[in-house]
């Protein structure tokens, strides 16, 4: 039985969310003897709840509470994120890339792109570097710390062969937080092919079966699943002193806290700050400058499915099994700033039928789906620059079951995104055609799997919500602890950076607690 | 993704509670409750229409007609419990049957396809397209035709089952 803390214990650190940010932060603090209560909106799955069934797992782990998209984003399903202990680390594909050194200063590197709200990160790559290394060690990232790269699977081999025909070299199965050997008490990868449905054998790193149980062993940690935080509370001086949350039977509680760290992912984190408005914070906590919810970034995405002349069986093995990184740098001759990754991405039959077309039916379409074994698949992931009006807002009248306004994701695509996407689709299509693709389908993606920047780090309050440590400007004992902190989106998937920042933030919080500053 | 938008829309329909007809059952007699429940049963003609419709949407000729029949009866079960779905099916089939003097199921193959094209943009057909995809491509009998093994944990994953057996690349 793990430790249970009293609601009125004001000495605990409350961490909201148990994913890559919250789960890691909470564990890092607990390992140092700091008492943590982690409040997670979702349920806690057992390993036996994880099955090789994408439809069933979608229902079990996805955040399905209403969200609305406005603009160039799905209206009814704008984000694909998780509501479960472990957060989106239960679903993610485990690609673990660092940002490149130049990406931490996008404004200085690319120059200001008209209309954007670009800033440089208020930390240097040198500061972040050791934490990337710690994150890679913690997560068991293949191709780092002496861990072997994963063997190539069919879908990756098609990408590699096509890329080599176009002249690219040194394409590898790259860095994944999936055990390439048995490690950390968890199995090595069995190439099950259902990474995104949760890893049945635990080879893929997820806080659900790593950080959370390790934190519990310290006896300085308690996780409360099915605990949705509704408000952050403060005293008359603006010092945070607790949070109000509701359990699955609708009973509300207040947990006292000495410090609160918000890691609900980039939609719920700003939403919580906005919903915590008070006379002292009439526009929401930490929103004196109006930046909470703004500068929302989601990456430039596209899916490609290629009908090949021979069998691929893309479902076999690691889903994100390698990536082409050669277009991820900044090459001005391409007429857009920054770059993109081409990542392998298979689909299962149901998703093939839903992806190749939204509307097609009949004999020709059914024949196409019957060629499932001949399909290869890839995903583009490119940098998305911030705009002040790409932002999370509270809905004017739609409320959730607790009576709180639901979040609206306001997002417009940009010229840079369009130019980048077009280039990426052309390159990926050429890659598949170079090895005989009969037809390449492009699937627009209007649902965001990567969400960043909505409570971003900045040098001053004018440009962001928190400082270089994730500490909210003007609110001494409130931290942003997830990807909402990102000052820019970079080209790579966000999780490794989220984990690195969480490890670093834990050290800082520990130091501040020791100095009596928290 | 656009299909997820539709999925959520459909989940929303599926989540709608059974409406007034059933909620009045507290003061109706048991017999009239039974009659009320029967009103949401699709007729034999309607089930046959759904069966043939799902086949025409995604015709996999090597599949037994049983698969499409099971699809239709599973949709009929859904309609029993959900008034909005029941109305969608009934009115959709009625509209389809009205396009010609004969019911749709009695028309020639090409005529059937023609009329489906006419109702392509309706909620009924969009619902049927999505429901057919989800039934068929989650079914192990269909997987066999696609050479897709489904869950792989049962045979220990693809690590020893051809995850890297591709042999035709130049």
């Amino acid at each position: 039985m793990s430790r249970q803390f009293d609601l009125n214990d004001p000495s605990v650190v409350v961490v909201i969310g148990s994913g890559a940010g919250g789960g890691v932060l909470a564990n890092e603090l607990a390992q140092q003897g700091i008492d943590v209560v982690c409040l997670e909106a979702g349920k806690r799955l057992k390993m036996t709840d994880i099955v090789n069934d994408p439809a069933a797992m979608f229902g079990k782990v996805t955040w399905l509470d209403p969200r609305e998209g406005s603009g160039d984003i799905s209206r009814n399903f704008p984000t694909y994120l998780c509501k479960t202990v472990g957060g989106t680390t239960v679903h993610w594909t485990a690609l673990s890339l660092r940002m490149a050194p130049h990406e931490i200063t996008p404004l200085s590197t690319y120059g200001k792109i008209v209309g954007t709200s670009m800033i440089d990160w208020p930390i240097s790559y040198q500061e972040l570097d050791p934490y990337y290394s710690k994150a890679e060690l913690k997560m068991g990232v293949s191709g780092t710390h002496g861990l072997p790269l994963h063997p190539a699977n069919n879908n990756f081999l098609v990408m590699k062969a096509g890329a080599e025909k176009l002249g690219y070299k040194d394409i590898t199965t790259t860095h994944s937080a999936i055990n390439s050997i048995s490690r950390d008490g968890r199995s090595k990868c069995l190439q099950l092919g259902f990474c995104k449905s949760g890893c049945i054998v635990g080879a893929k790193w997820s806080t659900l079966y790593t950080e959370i149980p390790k934190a519990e062993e310290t006896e300085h940690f308690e996780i409360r699943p099915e605990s949705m935080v509704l408000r952050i509370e403060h005293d008359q001086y603006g010092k945070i002193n607790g949070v109000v949350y509701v359990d699955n039977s609708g009973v509300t509680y207040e947990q006292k806290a000495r410090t609160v760290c918000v890691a609900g992912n980039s939609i719920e984190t700003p939403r919580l700050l906005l919903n915590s408005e008070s006379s002292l914070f009439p526009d929401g906590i930490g929103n004196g400058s109006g930046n909470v919810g703004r500068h929302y970034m989601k990456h430039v995405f596209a899916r490609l499915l290629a009908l090949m002349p021979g069998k691929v069986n893309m479902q076999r093995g690691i889903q994100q099994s390698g990536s082409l990184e050669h277009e991820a740098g900044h090459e001005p001759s391409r007429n857009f700033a920054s770059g993109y990754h081409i990542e392998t991405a298979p689909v299962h039959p149901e998703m093939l039928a839903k992806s190749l077309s939204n509307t097609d039916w009949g004999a020709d379409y059914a024949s196409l789906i019957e060629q499932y074994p001949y399909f290869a698949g890839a995903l583009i992931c490119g940098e998305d620059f911030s705009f002040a009006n790409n932002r999370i807002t509270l809905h004017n009248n739609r409320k959730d079951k607790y009576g709180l306004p639901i979040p609206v994701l306001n997002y417009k695509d940009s010229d840079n995104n369009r130019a980048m996407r077009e280039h990426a689709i052309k390159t990926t299509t050429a890659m598949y055609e170079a090895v005989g693709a009969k037809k390449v389908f492009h699937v627009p993606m209007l649902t965001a799997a990567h969400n960043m920047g909505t409570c971003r780090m900045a040098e001053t309050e004018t440009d962001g919500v928190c400082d270089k440590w994730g500490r909210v400007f003007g609110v001494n004992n409130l931290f942003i602890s997830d990807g909402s902190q990102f000052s820019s989106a970079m080209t790579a998937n966000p999780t490794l950076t989220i984990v690195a920042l969480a490890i670093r933030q834990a050290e800082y919080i520990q130091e501040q607690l020791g100095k009596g500053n928290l | 993704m656009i299909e997820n938008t539709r999925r959520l829309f459909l989940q929303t329909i599926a989540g709608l509670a059974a409406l007034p007809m059933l909620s009045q059952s507290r003061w109706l007699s048991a017999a009239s409750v039974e009659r009320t429940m029967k009103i949401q049963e699709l007729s034999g003609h309607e089930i046959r229409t759904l069966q043939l419709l799902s086949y025409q949407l995604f015709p996999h000729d090597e599949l037994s007609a049983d698969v499409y029949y099971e699809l239709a009866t599973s949709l009929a079960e859904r309609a029993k419990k959900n008034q909005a779905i029941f109305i969608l099916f009934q009115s959709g089939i009625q509209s389809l049957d009205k396009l010609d003097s004969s019911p749709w199921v009695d028309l020639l193959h090409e005529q059937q396809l023609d009329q489906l094209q006419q109702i392509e943009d309706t909620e009924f057909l969009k619902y049927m397209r999505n429901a057919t995809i989800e039934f068929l491509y989650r079914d192990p009998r269909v997987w066999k035709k696609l050479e897709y093994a489904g869950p792989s944990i049962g045979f220990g994953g693809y690590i020893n089952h051809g995850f890297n057996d591709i042999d035709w690349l130049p």
Side-chain angles (χ1 to χ4, degrees):
Chain A
M1 185 66 176
S2 65
R3 183 87 180 270
Q4 286 185 312
F5 293 96
D6 196 272
L7 288 170
N8 292 313
D9 183 348
S11 72
V12 302
V13 173
V14 165
V15 174
I16 301 169
S18 63
V24 169
L25 176 68
N27 182 38
E28 291 285 308
L29 292 173
Q31 297 293 334
Q32 298 310 314
I34 295 161
D35 290 337
V36 177
V37 170
C38 180
L39 299 170
E40 165 56 54
K43 296 183 182 174
R44 185 173 189 168
L45 297 186
K46 298 185 293 296
M47 290 311 284
T48 49
D49 292 322
I50 301 175
V51 289
N52 284 166
D53 182 340
M57 292 310 297
F58 178 87
K60 285 185 193 180
V61 308
T62 310
W63 190 287
L64 294 172
D65 297 279
R67 289 174 171 170
E68 204 169 282
S70 166
D72 301 323
I73 193 166
S74 166
R75 183 173 168 79
N76 291 322
F77 193 65
T79 59
Y80 195 152
L81 293 172
C82 291
K83 179 182 183 179
T84 190
V85 172
T88 308
T89 66
V90 173
H91 162 71
W92 78 311
T93 62
L95 181 55
S96 299
L97 302 176
R98 298 184 176 205
M99 71 167 102
H102 72 274
E103 291 185 292
I104 208 163
T105 52
L107 181 61
S108 306
T109 305
Y110 311 131
K112 164 114 168 166
I113 297 169
V114 169
T116 64
S117 57
M118 291 164 77
I119 56 171
D120 290 337
W121 290 65
I123 55 180
S124 69
Y125 192 82
Q126 286 69 35
E127 286 177 79
L128 199 49
D129 183 65
Y131 296 99
Y132 269 137
S133 187
K134 290 183 186 193
E136 286 158 347
L137 190 64
K138 174 191 283 290
M139 298 156 80
V141 174
S142 61
T144 74
H145 297 280
L147 296 170
L149 289 172
H150 285 283
N153 70 359
N154 295 341
N155 194 33
F156 170 74
L157 287 166
V158 175
M159 164 189 281
K160 181 166 188 278
E164 282 170 352
K165 283 275 184 196
L166 295 183
Y168 296 103
K169 298 186 196 329
D170 302 320
I171 303 131
T172 73
T173 55
T174 200
H175 307 296
S176 286
I178 298 176
N179 277 351
S180 49
I181 54 171
S182 283
R183 185 181 180 271
D184 194 34
R186 297 180 286 117
S187 166
K188 78 167 191 182
C189 176
L190 300 182
Q191 305 283 349
L192 294 178
F194 289 90
C195 316
K196 291 166 71 174
S197 305
C199 182
I200 287 183
V201 297
K204 180 183 82 171
W205 182 86
S206 168
T207 60
L208 171 64
Y209 40 76
T210 58
E211 303 297 286
I212 302 303
K214 284 176 185 176
E216 285 175 322
E217 281 167 24
T218 65
E219 305 224 334
H220 287 285
F221 172 85
E222 179 193 354
I223 184 164
R224 297 179 197 157
E226 298 187 85
S227 298
M228 175 72 184
V229 178
L230 304 177
R231 271 185 73 80
I232 297 170
E233 303 275 284
H234 61 80
D235 67 14
Q236 70 261 44
Y237 307 110
K239 183 173 175 211
I240 306 300
N241 57 13
V243 300
V244 173
Y245 69 95
V246 61
D247 72 9
N248 60 352
S249 56
V251 180
T252 53
Y253 302 90
E254 184 176 348
Q255 172 67 54
K256 296 287 180 203
R258 70 190 297 179
T259 292
V260 171
C261 303
V262 195
N265 209 309
S266 303
I267 316 304
E268 292 309 306
T269 290
R271 180 181 178 230
L272 179 59
L273 268 57
L274 294 173
N275 274 334
S276 299
E277 100 287 351
S278 63
S279 52
L280 210 55
F281 299 109
D283 297 314
I285 290 186
N287 199 24
S289 63
N291 282 303
V292 172
R294 289 194 190 270
H295 319 293
Y296 166 60
M297 299 166 290
K298 66 178 193 61
H299 278 151
V300 175
F301 260 22
R303 183 190 291 287
L304 287 101
L305 291 161
L307 183 60
M308 305 308 296
K311 288 188 185 173
V312 180
N313 284 306
M314 60 178 168
Q315 75 279 15
R316 294 185 186 169
I318 295 179
Q319 291 189 286
Q320 200 309 108
S321 53
S323 71
L324 189 78
E325 295 163 41
H326 302 57
E327 297 290 343
H330 178 55
E331 182 43 63
S333 68
R334 296 182 303 187
N335 292 322
F336 55 86
S338 191
Y340 58 88
H341 290 90
I342 304 174
E343 305 170 359
T344 52
V347 291
H348 297 287
E350 174 183 340
M351 193 52 81
L352 185 73
K354 288 177 172 175
S355 297
L356 295 177
S357 168
N358 283 330
T359 50
D360 279 2
W361 53 272
D364 289 345
Y365 197 61
S367 298
L368 190 58
I369 299 162
E370 279 177 4
Q371 296 184 73
Y372 178 83
Y374 295 83
F375 276 94
L379 198 79
I380 309 303
C381 177
E383 176 147 26
D384 182 21
F385 292 106
S386 64
F387 287 78
N389 288 331
N390 281 351
R391 58 191 292 221
I392 313 306
T393 54
L394 299 179
H395 203 283
N396 283 335
N397 41 63
R398 276 185 78 189
K399 308 238 191 294
D400 68 5
K401 58 186 170 185
Y402 308 115
L404 290 176
I406 72 163
V408 181
L409 283 77
N410 304 278
Y411 181 84
K412 286 272 166 65
D413 213 9
S414 67
D415 289 340
N416 202 73
N417 288 6
R418 281 183 278 268
M420 183 191 292
R421 193 180 289 115
E422 194 183 305
H423 189 278
I425 289 169
K426 240 186 180 156
T427 305
T428 311
T429 302
M431 190 181 79
Y432 283 125
E433 286 175 347
V435 281
K438 296 178 181 176
K439 188 165 182 191
V440 182
F441 298 81
H442 158 228
V443 184
M445 295 186 66
L446 295 177
T447 296
H450 302 162
N451 299 269
M452 301 154 283
T454 50
C455 287
R456 71 183 185 181
M457 283 186 177
E459 291 287 358
T460 68
E461 193 176 0
T462 317
D463 291 323
V465 173
C466 60
D467 68 12
K468 60 187 286 185
W469 303 107
R471 194 175 204 165
V472 174
F473 290 116
V475 192
N476 190 54
N477 60 344
L478 182 66
F479 287 83
I480 308 298
S481 307
D482 58 14
S484 310
Q485 292 174 90
F486 283 18
S487 308
S488 73
M490 63 198 171
T491 54
N493 307 43
T495 304
L496 185 72
T497 304
I498 292 171
V499 174
L501 289 173
I503 297 170
R504 176 174 166 273
Q505 188 180 79
E507 272 183 23
Y508 179 72
I509 289 174
Q510 187 195 359
E511 179 209 67
Q512 291 290 296
L513 286 167
K515 286 181 175 169
N517 293 342
L518 279 175
Chain B
M1 285 170 272
I2 295 167
E3 64 270 20
N4 281 328
T5 307
R6 185 185 303 112
R7 190 211 295 259
L8 198 68
F9 160 75
L10 294 164
Q11 281 179 342
T12 310
I13 288 189
L16 288 174
L19 292 170
M21 261 197 266
L22 290 184
S23 70
Q24 290 168 41
S25 64
R26 357 165 242 234
W27 48 268
L28 291 177
S29 68
S32 56
V33 167
E34 216 184 61
R35 280 198 299 277
T36 306
M37 296 285 279
K38 277 196 160 69
I39 289 169
Q40 274 185 217
E41 268 189 34
L42 294 178
S43 66
H45 166 73
E46 284 160 341
I47 292 177
R48 173 102 179 97
T49 304
L50 292 184
Q51 179 192 12
L52 199 48
L53 175 52
S54 60
Y55 168 78
Q56 291 289 35
L57 288 175
F58 292 90
H60 293 284
D61 288 325
E62 288 176 41
L63 283 182
S64 153
D66 286 347
V67 176
Y68 294 96
Y69 182 70
E70 282 175 34
L71 197 166
T73 53
S74 78
L75 292 180
E77 280 303 304
R78 234 187 255 187
K80 259 192 214 167
K81 298 170 196 150
N82 187 317
Q83 190 183 48
I85 305 274
F86 175 75
I87 291 170
L88 184 71
F89 289 162
Q90 263 216 329
S91 58
I93 293 167
Q94 270 173 25
S95 300
L96 184 57
D97 283 346
K98 279 197 190 117
L99 292 178
D100 195 281
S101 49
S102 300
W104 180 79
V105 292
D106 294 333
L107 299 176
L108 297 174
H109 173 80
E110 288 305 325
Q111 287 174 300
Q112 288 183 338
L113 293 180
D114 215 56
Q115 291 191 354
L116 288 187
Q117 266 178 352
Q118 288 183 50
I119 63 161
E120 237 175 17
D121 292 328
T122 62
E123 286 317 307
F124 171 56
L125 204 76
K126 287 180 193 175
Y127 185 95
M128 282 303 299
R129 181 183 183 271
N130 194 70
T132 303
I133 286 175
E134 289 182 357
F135 186 95
L136 289 181
Y137 304 114
R138 294 180 191 177
D139 191 309
R141 291 167 292 188
V142 179
W143 289 346
K144 239 178 144 175
K145 304 297 171 199
L146 305 181
E147 291 176 47
Y148 172 78
S152 67
I153 186 67
F155 50 83
Y158 287 104
I159 194 161
N160 294 316
H161 285 81
F163 82 103
N164 60 356
D165 67 351
I166 194 164
D167 61 2
W168 54 266
L169 286 167

